Every structure is written in C-alpha cells, then in structure tokens.
Amino acid sequence: MGRSPCCSKEGLNRGAWTAIEDKILTQYIMIHGEGKWRQLPKEAGLKRCGKSCRLRWLNYLRPDIKRGNITHDEEELIIRLHKLLGNRWSLIAGRLPGRTDNEIKNYWSTNIGKKAQNGNPNSSTSPNSSQTNPKTQQQTPNPPNKDSSVIRTKATRCTKVILTQEPHQLGTVVAPSMTYDSGTDDKMVAGVGVGPGSGLELLASTSPFDSEGNNPLDFLVDFEMDQSFFSDLLKVDFSEPSCFENTVQDNNVSIRDKSQLSPKSNDNVTVFQPTATLGEAEFDWL
DNA sequence: AAGTTCGCCAACCGCCAATAG
DNA sequence: ACTATTGGCGGTTGGCGAACT
C-alpha cells in the first residue's frame, strides 16, 4: 500500500510564495510553533501542502536564516565537510549556522562542484572527482571508495542522551541507532549527533583501529560551534584518522554546551532530549 | 531590439525512517 | 506486530533574470 501524496489535493497553490502567504505562515508559527505541518495549512488558512509550508519556513522564513553570500570560510568548511560527509547536506548545514541544506546544496552545484569539474587548483579539496554538473549527469552518490575518508551517513533521530551530573564527568551517550558492523574489517558504523543549530556536538563510534571490534565506543569527535568554530574546524584534516584518535574517551562523550538541550532531570541523571538529528555514519577507512 | 541560451535558486518530488494508533 | 501517518532528506525541476547572439 502506497502513501497518499501529500500535495495531491486540488486547489492548492503551487510555485512561488506570495508575501501574504509568507506573513500568514510566519505569524502562525510564531504563535503555535513548528511541527504539525500537515495540519498547519488548514488551521492557518493556507492553500499549501504541509510539506511546502515546512520547506518555506525552514529555507526562507526562519528568523535565524543567514542571507547573503557564502563567505570564504564557509566555503572552505563546506568543502571539508562534504569531503567528510558526502552529499549529506542537512548535516553540513547543521555545521553552518543560519545556512540551509537547500542553500548549501545549490551553492555546491553552482559553485564548488563546478570549480572541481573545471580542474580548479583547489580541486584537491573537492570531494569526489565524480562530482560533476548534476544537471547534465546522474551521479551515484559517493560510491564506495577505499581511498577516501568520506563518511557516508544515514540520518536517524537522536532519541536520548544521558549525562551524569558530575561537573567534569563525561556524559554517556545512549544512542539506540548506533550499530556496529563487525562483518567487515574496514568499515565502521557510528552515531553522529548534531546539536540543534549549535552547541551540542557528539560523535561516538566504534573504532576503525580496533581490530577486535570489541569496544563500540572508543573514539569520538567533539566539535564546538562557537566563535572559534570555523577557525578550529578549518585546521582539522579529516582525511587523517589521527584527528579522531586524539579525542578517544572510552564509552564517553564530552559535551561542551548543554544550553541548547532540554534537560529532564531525575535523581542522578539528567536526560537530554535534543531535537537534533543523529546521523548514522559509515566510515570507510584506508 | 528581439530572440535564444545560460545560470541561479526556490520549490517540488519521491523515498525512507520514526512515530502513533 | 502491523499499518498509517508524519517529518525529514537528497535529488530534480522549472521559473526568472542576466548574458549573449
């Protein structure tokens, strides 16, 4: 049984949004908050499908959207993150405050990808030589490449993060989506937590360096999205596995900024339930 | 000046995973 | 356990303005 298409109803507006529609949508979300996208158009009186409303809000109307040109630092970061994550635009966008996945995707297609295709000297930092003009060539998204350090992620939701309350004790990540592929020697599957636009950044996984495959959580990466985020991140060479090794903490993940999370505390444990997305990353190591 | 081509980007489409019932 | 619904993602399309002929 297939799903009923969400936008099949007759009489719905399509195409570009009008200023009035934008205003209605913005006011509705300001009052009622995000979510319930299917009901939103009915309740707000918009002749749009819920998906369209969601997209319009996320990509254009959200107050924290950063308009304007992509800066050089942002471009560098996009290139690096694309090298690391592949076409996981939402994850990349999560690292660029105020930028949307759609914007980054478009920017990549029209700028960076084109540079790479034209044999730009900087193309050494371009992700995949197979990345060419998407309008003229169907591309297979990041085919397995043993020579690449690209992480192929599969986004899943982060359902729970539990932190102990000791100030300096590292928290324990409870990531149900995390799996370990012990069937292959050269692959690993990791959980990648992305904070809601910001602070909490988790990445824990099985170690590619543990030939035994016994410890499911023996390395992590801890990004910090603050003023120094870009400069710090730009220094990281993701192609070097050692960039991960340095942050190994057995079974623990450090969390530097808990402010973006909604704590639900009990006696001994604070349970954070971020609305963020957990990615399930699959690494191909050398 | 008119017609054509190109490039950008907002919006749409289809699929998948999570969640609710 | 199963099915339907919802939200989210990546890929693609198409409208529109700019550049070119």
Side-chain angles (χ1 to χ4, degrees), chain A residues 6 77 111 122 190 261 277 282:
Chain A
C6 78
L77 184 54
N111 294 278
N122 293 329
L261 302 175
T277 300
E282 190 175 81

Side-chain angles (χ1 to χ4, degrees), chain A residues 103-263:
Chain A
E103 186 177 13
I104 292 169
K105 185 166 55 180
N106 285 333
Y107 186 76
W108 182 271
S109 316
T110 58
N111 294 278
I112 304 172
K114 202 167 293 181
K115 282 182 192 174
Q117 187 184 14
N118 292 338
N120 185 294
N122 293 329
S123 62
S124 59
T125 59
S126 69
N128 227 320
S129 58
S130 66
Q131 291 278 353
T132 55
N133 190 341
K135 288 193 175 183
T136 57
Q137 183 172 342
Q138 293 284 341
Q139 58 192 24
T140 54
N142 301 305
N145 181 1
K146 299 285 182 185
D147 295 328
S148 161
S149 58
V150 168
I151 299 169
R152 297 200 310 280
T153 63
K154 185 177 183 180
T156 58
R157 287 202 179 91
C158 175
T159 55
K160 193 177 288 184
V161 176
I162 298 178
L163 299 174
T164 55
Q165 290 189 323
E166 289 77 14
H168 301 296
Q169 181 175 344
L170 294 172
T172 300
V173 170
V174 178
S177 65
M178 190 174 295
T179 58
Y180 178 65
D181 183 0
S182 58
T184 56
D185 293 328
D186 58 346
K187 283 187 177 177
M188 54 175 292
V189 180
V192 179
V194 178
S198 66
L200 168 66
E201 309 296 339
L202 307 174
L203 193 156
S205 81
T206 55
S207 169
F209 315 110
D210 180 5
S211 58
E212 299 296 322
N214 292 326
N215 187 348
L217 282 170
D218 57 4
F219 95 107
L220 66 90
V221 173
D222 181 4
F223 292 140
E224 189 172 22
M225 184 77 76
D226 57 14
Q227 299 97 319
S228 62
F229 172 71
F230 286 123
S231 55
D232 286 348
L233 190 60
L234 289 172
K235 293 171 188 169
V236 177
D237 183 358
F238 292 119
S239 65
E240 283 294 326
S242 59
C243 76
F244 297 109
E245 274 183 315
N246 293 335
T247 53
V248 168
Q249 304 284 345
D250 284 351
N251 295 321
N252 290 318
V253 173
S254 65
I255 295 181
R256 295 188 182 172
D257 182 358
K258 295 183 281 191
S259 64
Q260 300 292 328
L261 302 175
S262 305

Side-chain angles (χ1 to χ4, degrees), chain A residues 261-282:
Chain A
L261 302 175
S262 305
K264 293 182 180 178
S265 58
N266 56 30
D267 291 343
N268 299 317
V269 178
T270 298
V271 179
F272 288 90
Q273 293 189 304
T275 57
T277 300
L278 247 190
E280 192 173 83
E282 190 175 81

Side-chain angles (χ1 to χ4, degrees), chain A residues 40-41 74 196 204:
Chain A
L40 188 153
E74 286 175 319

